[in-house]
Short mmCIF file of all heavy atoms in Angstrom, two decimals:
data_model
loop_
_atom_site.label_atom_id
_atom_site.label_comp_id
_atom_site.label_asym_id
_atom_site.label_seq_id
_atom_site.Cartn_x
_atom_site.Cartn_y
_atom_site.Cartn_z
N GLY A 1446 20.73 -5.60 19.51
CA GLY A 1446 19.70 -6.11 18.62
C GLY A 1446 19.06 -5.05 17.74
O GLY A 1446 19.38 -3.86 17.82
N GLY A 1447 18.15 -5.49 16.91
CA GLY A 1447 17.47 -4.57 15.99
C GLY A 1447 16.62 -5.36 15.01
O GLY A 1447 16.45 -6.58 15.12
N ILE A 1448 16.08 -4.65 14.02
CA ILE A 1448 15.20 -5.27 13.03
C ILE A 1448 15.60 -4.80 11.64
O ILE A 1448 15.70 -3.60 11.38
CB ILE A 1448 13.72 -4.90 13.29
CG1 ILE A 1448 13.29 -5.39 14.68
CG2 ILE A 1448 12.82 -5.49 12.20
CD1 ILE A 1448 11.90 -4.93 15.07
N VAL A 1449 15.84 -5.77 10.76
CA VAL A 1449 16.05 -5.48 9.34
C VAL A 1449 14.78 -5.88 8.60
O VAL A 1449 14.37 -7.04 8.65
CB VAL A 1449 17.25 -6.27 8.77
CG1 VAL A 1449 17.36 -6.04 7.26
CG2 VAL A 1449 18.55 -5.86 9.45
N LEU A 1450 14.14 -4.93 7.96
CA LEU A 1450 13.00 -5.24 7.11
C LEU A 1450 13.51 -5.48 5.70
O LEU A 1450 14.07 -4.58 5.05
CB LEU A 1450 11.99 -4.08 7.10
CG LEU A 1450 11.35 -3.72 8.44
CD1 LEU A 1450 10.24 -2.71 8.22
CD2 LEU A 1450 10.83 -4.94 9.17
N TYR A 1451 13.36 -6.73 5.24
CA TYR A 1451 13.83 -7.09 3.89
C TYR A 1451 12.61 -7.03 2.96
O TYR A 1451 11.73 -7.88 3.00
CB TYR A 1451 14.44 -8.49 3.90
CG TYR A 1451 15.27 -8.77 2.66
CD1 TYR A 1451 16.57 -8.27 2.54
CD2 TYR A 1451 14.75 -9.52 1.62
CE1 TYR A 1451 17.33 -8.52 1.42
CE2 TYR A 1451 15.51 -9.78 0.49
CZ TYR A 1451 16.80 -9.27 0.39
OH TYR A 1451 17.56 -9.51 -0.74
N LEU A 1452 12.58 -5.97 2.16
CA LEU A 1452 11.39 -5.60 1.40
C LEU A 1452 11.53 -5.97 -0.08
O LEU A 1452 12.56 -5.70 -0.70
CB LEU A 1452 11.14 -4.09 1.54
CG LEU A 1452 11.13 -3.57 2.99
CD1 LEU A 1452 11.02 -2.06 3.00
CD2 LEU A 1452 9.99 -4.21 3.78
N ASP A 1453 10.50 -6.55 -0.62
CA ASP A 1453 10.52 -6.98 -2.01
C ASP A 1453 10.27 -5.77 -2.92
O ASP A 1453 9.17 -5.57 -3.43
CB ASP A 1453 9.46 -8.06 -2.24
CG ASP A 1453 9.57 -8.72 -3.60
OD1 ASP A 1453 10.41 -8.28 -4.41
OD2 ASP A 1453 8.81 -9.67 -3.87
N GLN A 1454 11.33 -4.98 -3.09
CA GLN A 1454 11.25 -3.74 -3.89
C GLN A 1454 12.48 -3.63 -4.79
O GLN A 1454 13.18 -2.62 -4.79
CB GLN A 1454 11.17 -2.52 -2.97
CG GLN A 1454 9.95 -2.49 -2.08
CD GLN A 1454 9.94 -1.27 -1.18
OE1 GLN A 1454 10.95 -0.91 -0.56
NE2 GLN A 1454 8.81 -0.62 -1.08
N GLU A 1455 12.75 -4.68 -5.52
CA GLU A 1455 13.94 -4.74 -6.37
C GLU A 1455 14.02 -3.52 -7.29
O GLU A 1455 13.01 -3.07 -7.84
CB GLU A 1455 13.89 -6.01 -7.21
CG GLU A 1455 15.12 -6.30 -8.02
CD GLU A 1455 16.23 -6.98 -7.22
OE1 GLU A 1455 15.93 -7.90 -6.45
OE2 GLU A 1455 17.40 -6.57 -7.38
N GLY A 1456 15.23 -3.00 -7.46
CA GLY A 1456 15.44 -1.91 -8.41
C GLY A 1456 14.71 -0.64 -8.07
O GLY A 1456 14.14 0.00 -8.95
N ARG A 1457 14.71 -0.25 -6.79
CA ARG A 1457 13.98 0.93 -6.31
C ARG A 1457 12.49 0.85 -6.66
O ARG A 1457 11.85 1.84 -6.98
CB ARG A 1457 14.60 2.23 -6.84
CG ARG A 1457 15.94 2.58 -6.20
CD ARG A 1457 16.38 4.00 -6.51
NE ARG A 1457 16.72 4.19 -7.90
CZ ARG A 1457 17.93 4.02 -8.43
NH1 ARG A 1457 18.93 3.63 -7.67
NH2 ARG A 1457 18.15 4.23 -9.71
N GLY A 1458 11.97 -0.37 -6.61
CA GLY A 1458 10.55 -0.58 -6.87
C GLY A 1458 10.20 -0.84 -8.32
O GLY A 1458 9.03 -1.04 -8.64
N ASN A 1459 11.19 -0.88 -9.21
CA ASN A 1459 10.92 -1.07 -10.64
C ASN A 1459 10.81 -2.53 -11.03
O ASN A 1459 10.30 -2.83 -12.12
CB ASN A 1459 12.03 -0.42 -11.48
CG ASN A 1459 12.18 1.05 -11.20
OD1 ASN A 1459 11.26 1.69 -10.70
ND2 ASN A 1459 13.33 1.61 -11.50
N GLY A 1460 11.28 -3.44 -10.19
CA GLY A 1460 11.25 -4.86 -10.52
C GLY A 1460 12.55 -5.33 -11.14
O GLY A 1460 13.34 -4.55 -11.68
N LEU A 1461 12.79 -6.63 -11.06
CA LEU A 1461 14.07 -7.19 -11.50
C LEU A 1461 14.31 -7.01 -12.99
O LEU A 1461 15.41 -6.65 -13.42
CB LEU A 1461 14.13 -8.67 -11.12
CG LEU A 1461 15.42 -9.40 -11.49
CD1 LEU A 1461 16.63 -8.77 -10.83
CD2 LEU A 1461 15.32 -10.88 -11.12
N ALA A 1462 13.30 -7.27 -13.81
CA ALA A 1462 13.49 -7.16 -15.26
C ALA A 1462 13.88 -5.74 -15.66
O ALA A 1462 14.79 -5.53 -16.47
CB ALA A 1462 12.22 -7.60 -16.00
N ASN A 1463 13.20 -4.76 -15.07
CA ASN A 1463 13.53 -3.37 -15.39
C ASN A 1463 14.88 -2.96 -14.81
O ASN A 1463 15.58 -2.14 -15.40
CB ASN A 1463 12.42 -2.45 -14.88
CG ASN A 1463 11.16 -2.57 -15.69
OD1 ASN A 1463 11.20 -2.62 -16.92
ND2 ASN A 1463 10.02 -2.63 -15.02
N LYS A 1464 15.24 -3.52 -13.67
CA LYS A 1464 16.57 -3.24 -13.12
C LYS A 1464 17.66 -3.71 -14.08
O LYS A 1464 18.64 -2.99 -14.31
CB LYS A 1464 16.71 -3.93 -11.76
CG LYS A 1464 18.10 -3.85 -11.17
CD LYS A 1464 18.15 -4.57 -9.83
CE LYS A 1464 19.55 -4.67 -9.29
NZ LYS A 1464 19.59 -5.30 -7.95
N ILE A 1465 17.49 -4.90 -14.64
CA ILE A 1465 18.50 -5.41 -15.57
C ILE A 1465 18.48 -4.61 -16.87
O ILE A 1465 19.53 -4.37 -17.49
CB ILE A 1465 18.28 -6.91 -15.83
CG1 ILE A 1465 18.42 -7.69 -14.51
CG2 ILE A 1465 19.26 -7.44 -16.86
CD1 ILE A 1465 19.75 -7.48 -13.78
N ARG A 1466 17.30 -4.15 -17.30
CA ARG A 1466 17.26 -3.23 -18.44
C ARG A 1466 18.07 -1.97 -18.14
O ARG A 1466 18.81 -1.47 -18.98
CB ARG A 1466 15.82 -2.84 -18.76
CG ARG A 1466 14.98 -3.93 -19.41
CD ARG A 1466 13.58 -3.40 -19.73
NE ARG A 1466 12.79 -4.38 -20.46
CZ ARG A 1466 11.64 -4.89 -20.05
NH1 ARG A 1466 11.13 -4.50 -18.88
NH2 ARG A 1466 10.98 -5.78 -20.77
N ALA A 1467 17.92 -1.46 -16.92
CA ALA A 1467 18.66 -0.26 -16.53
C ALA A 1467 20.16 -0.54 -16.47
O ALA A 1467 20.98 0.32 -16.85
CB ALA A 1467 18.16 0.25 -15.18
N TYR A 1468 20.54 -1.72 -16.02
CA TYR A 1468 21.97 -2.07 -16.01
C TYR A 1468 22.54 -2.07 -17.42
O TYR A 1468 23.69 -1.66 -17.64
CB TYR A 1468 22.15 -3.46 -15.37
CG TYR A 1468 22.28 -3.46 -13.87
CD1 TYR A 1468 22.01 -2.31 -13.11
CD2 TYR A 1468 22.66 -4.60 -13.19
CE1 TYR A 1468 22.12 -2.32 -11.73
CE2 TYR A 1468 22.78 -4.63 -11.80
CZ TYR A 1468 22.51 -3.48 -11.09
OH TYR A 1468 22.63 -3.50 -9.73
N ASP A 1469 21.75 -2.55 -18.38
CA ASP A 1469 22.21 -2.53 -19.77
C ASP A 1469 22.46 -1.09 -20.23
O ASP A 1469 23.47 -0.81 -20.90
CB ASP A 1469 21.18 -3.21 -20.66
CG ASP A 1469 21.55 -3.15 -22.13
OD1 ASP A 1469 22.62 -3.65 -22.50
OD2 ASP A 1469 20.77 -2.58 -22.92
N LEU A 1470 21.57 -0.18 -19.85
CA LEU A 1470 21.75 1.22 -20.23
C LEU A 1470 22.95 1.83 -19.49
O LEU A 1470 23.66 2.67 -20.05
CB LEU A 1470 20.48 2.02 -19.92
CG LEU A 1470 19.23 1.59 -20.71
CD1 LEU A 1470 18.05 2.47 -20.32
CD2 LEU A 1470 19.47 1.65 -22.21
N GLN A 1471 23.17 1.41 -18.25
CA GLN A 1471 24.34 1.91 -17.52
C GLN A 1471 25.63 1.44 -18.21
O GLN A 1471 26.62 2.18 -18.24
CB GLN A 1471 24.31 1.44 -16.08
CG GLN A 1471 23.22 2.10 -15.24
CD GLN A 1471 23.09 1.48 -13.88
OE1 GLN A 1471 24.07 1.24 -13.18
NE2 GLN A 1471 21.86 1.19 -13.46
N ALA A 1472 25.62 0.25 -18.75
CA ALA A 1472 26.80 -0.26 -19.47
C ALA A 1472 27.07 0.56 -20.72
O ALA A 1472 28.19 0.53 -21.25
CB ALA A 1472 26.59 -1.73 -19.83
N ARG A 1473 26.04 1.32 -21.16
CA ARG A 1473 26.21 2.18 -22.34
C ARG A 1473 26.45 3.64 -21.96
O ARG A 1473 26.38 4.52 -22.82
CB ARG A 1473 24.99 2.05 -23.24
CG ARG A 1473 24.87 0.68 -23.88
CD ARG A 1473 23.82 0.68 -24.95
NE ARG A 1473 22.62 -0.04 -24.54
CZ ARG A 1473 21.47 0.01 -25.20
NH1 ARG A 1473 21.36 0.75 -26.28
NH2 ARG A 1473 20.43 -0.67 -24.77
N GLY A 1474 26.70 3.90 -20.66
CA GLY A 1474 27.15 5.23 -20.27
C GLY A 1474 26.24 6.03 -19.38
O GLY A 1474 26.62 7.09 -18.89
N LEU A 1475 25.00 5.58 -19.13
CA LEU A 1475 24.08 6.34 -18.28
C LEU A 1475 24.34 6.01 -16.81
O LEU A 1475 24.79 4.91 -16.49
CB LEU A 1475 22.62 6.02 -18.63
CG LEU A 1475 22.01 6.76 -19.83
CD1 LEU A 1475 22.73 6.42 -21.11
CD2 LEU A 1475 20.52 6.42 -19.95
N ASP A 1476 24.06 6.98 -15.92
CA ASP A 1476 24.14 6.64 -14.51
C ASP A 1476 22.84 5.97 -14.08
O ASP A 1476 21.90 5.82 -14.87
CB ASP A 1476 24.50 7.85 -13.64
CG ASP A 1476 23.37 8.87 -13.47
OD1 ASP A 1476 22.17 8.51 -13.56
OD2 ASP A 1476 23.68 10.07 -13.24
N THR A 1477 22.75 5.54 -12.83
CA THR A 1477 21.61 4.73 -12.38
C THR A 1477 20.27 5.46 -12.53
O THR A 1477 19.27 4.86 -12.91
CB THR A 1477 21.82 4.28 -10.91
OG1 THR A 1477 20.69 3.50 -10.49
CG2 THR A 1477 21.99 5.46 -9.95
N TYR A 1478 20.24 6.77 -12.26
CA TYR A 1478 18.99 7.52 -12.37
C TYR A 1478 18.68 7.86 -13.82
O TYR A 1478 17.51 7.84 -14.23
CB TYR A 1478 19.04 8.77 -11.51
CG TYR A 1478 19.11 8.45 -10.04
CD1 TYR A 1478 20.28 8.66 -9.31
CD2 TYR A 1478 18.02 7.92 -9.37
CE1 TYR A 1478 20.35 8.34 -7.96
CE2 TYR A 1478 18.08 7.59 -8.02
CZ TYR A 1478 19.26 7.81 -7.32
OH TYR A 1478 19.32 7.48 -5.99
N GLU A 1479 19.70 8.18 -14.61
CA GLU A 1479 19.49 8.44 -16.04
C GLU A 1479 18.92 7.20 -16.72
O GLU A 1479 18.03 7.30 -17.58
CB GLU A 1479 20.80 8.84 -16.70
CG GLU A 1479 21.32 10.20 -16.28
CD GLU A 1479 22.75 10.45 -16.74
OE1 GLU A 1479 23.45 9.46 -17.10
OE2 GLU A 1479 23.17 11.62 -16.72
N ALA A 1480 19.43 6.02 -16.34
CA ALA A 1480 18.94 4.78 -16.94
C ALA A 1480 17.47 4.55 -16.59
O ALA A 1480 16.66 4.19 -17.45
CB ALA A 1480 19.80 3.61 -16.47
N ASP A 1481 17.11 4.76 -15.32
CA ASP A 1481 15.71 4.59 -14.93
C ASP A 1481 14.81 5.58 -15.65
O ASP A 1481 13.71 5.24 -16.10
CB ASP A 1481 15.57 4.77 -13.42
CG ASP A 1481 16.02 3.55 -12.64
OD1 ASP A 1481 16.32 2.51 -13.27
OD2 ASP A 1481 16.08 3.64 -11.39
N GLU A 1482 15.27 6.82 -15.78
CA GLU A 1482 14.47 7.83 -16.47
C GLU A 1482 14.29 7.48 -17.95
O GLU A 1482 13.22 7.70 -18.52
CB GLU A 1482 15.13 9.20 -16.33
CG GLU A 1482 15.03 9.76 -14.91
CD GLU A 1482 15.91 10.98 -14.69
OE1 GLU A 1482 16.75 11.27 -15.57
OE2 GLU A 1482 15.78 11.62 -13.64
N ALA A 1483 15.33 6.92 -18.57
CA ALA A 1483 15.22 6.52 -19.97
C ALA A 1483 14.16 5.44 -20.16
O ALA A 1483 13.54 5.33 -21.22
CB ALA A 1483 16.57 6.03 -20.49
N LEU A 1484 13.93 4.63 -19.12
CA LEU A 1484 12.90 3.59 -19.17
C LEU A 1484 11.52 4.12 -18.78
O LEU A 1484 10.52 3.40 -18.92
CB LEU A 1484 13.28 2.44 -18.25
CG LEU A 1484 14.53 1.64 -18.65
CD1 LEU A 1484 14.91 0.67 -17.54
CD2 LEU A 1484 14.31 0.92 -19.96
N GLY A 1485 11.47 5.35 -18.25
CA GLY A 1485 10.18 5.94 -17.89
C GLY A 1485 9.93 6.05 -16.40
O GLY A 1485 8.82 6.40 -15.99
N PHE A 1486 10.94 5.76 -15.58
CA PHE A 1486 10.75 5.80 -14.13
C PHE A 1486 11.25 7.11 -13.53
O PHE A 1486 12.17 7.74 -14.06
CB PHE A 1486 11.51 4.64 -13.47
CG PHE A 1486 11.00 3.28 -13.86
CD1 PHE A 1486 11.72 2.48 -14.73
CD2 PHE A 1486 9.79 2.82 -13.39
CE1 PHE A 1486 11.27 1.23 -15.11
CE2 PHE A 1486 9.30 1.57 -13.76
CZ PHE A 1486 10.05 0.78 -14.62
N GLY A 1487 10.66 7.48 -12.39
CA GLY A 1487 11.16 8.59 -11.62
C GLY A 1487 12.35 8.16 -10.77
O GLY A 1487 12.88 7.06 -10.92
N LEU A 1488 12.75 9.04 -9.84
CA LEU A 1488 13.93 8.74 -9.02
C LEU A 1488 13.72 7.49 -8.17
O LEU A 1488 14.66 6.72 -7.94
CB LEU A 1488 14.27 9.92 -8.12
CG LEU A 1488 14.90 11.15 -8.77
CD1 LEU A 1488 15.20 12.21 -7.74
CD2 LEU A 1488 16.19 10.76 -9.52
N ASP A 1489 12.52 7.27 -7.67
CA ASP A 1489 12.30 6.17 -6.74
C ASP A 1489 10.82 5.85 -6.72
O ASP A 1489 9.99 6.72 -6.45
CB ASP A 1489 12.78 6.57 -5.34
CG ASP A 1489 13.03 5.38 -4.44
OD1 ASP A 1489 12.32 4.37 -4.58
OD2 ASP A 1489 13.93 5.47 -3.57
N GLN A 1490 10.47 4.60 -6.99
CA GLN A 1490 9.06 4.19 -7.01
C GLN A 1490 8.62 3.51 -5.70
O GLN A 1490 7.48 3.07 -5.57
CB GLN A 1490 8.81 3.21 -8.16
CG GLN A 1490 8.52 3.90 -9.49
CD GLN A 1490 9.65 4.81 -9.93
OE1 GLN A 1490 9.47 6.02 -10.01
NE2 GLN A 1490 10.81 4.26 -10.22
N ARG A 1491 9.52 3.42 -4.74
CA ARG A 1491 9.20 2.65 -3.53
C ARG A 1491 8.24 3.39 -2.60
O ARG A 1491 8.25 4.61 -2.54
CB ARG A 1491 10.48 2.31 -2.77
CG ARG A 1491 11.37 1.32 -3.49
CD ARG A 1491 12.67 1.13 -2.76
NE ARG A 1491 13.48 2.34 -2.78
CZ ARG A 1491 14.68 2.45 -2.21
NH1 ARG A 1491 15.19 1.43 -1.57
NH2 ARG A 1491 15.35 3.59 -2.29
#
């Protein structure tokens, strides 16, 4: 047994809309952290 905590922290805490914005930037060549930084986020907001 064990415990899985399912936490409402989509996109490393950036939210779903910003995660999809980051996906759009990844489709244009940025990696996941570069895309978040281009939007103004640090490595992890959680």
Side-chain angles (χ1 to χ4, degrees):
I1448 300 173
V1449 175
L1450 298 188
Y1451 196 79
L1452 309 174
D1453 189 355
Q1454 298 179 315
E1455 187 82 44
R1457 288 192 292 270
N1459 302 339
L1461 181 59
N1463 288 317
K1464 173 180 173 177
I1465 298 304
R1466 287 182 175 120
Y1468 273 11
D1469 176 59
L1470 297 181
Q1471 290 172 47
R1473 292 191 253 167
L1475 278 63
D1476 73 27
T1477 180
Y1478 294 109
E1479 291 169 343
D1481 282 353
E1482 289 169 350
L1484 294 172
F1486 296 106
L1488 286 181
D1489 199 327
Q1490 275 59 245
R1491 291 174 293 180

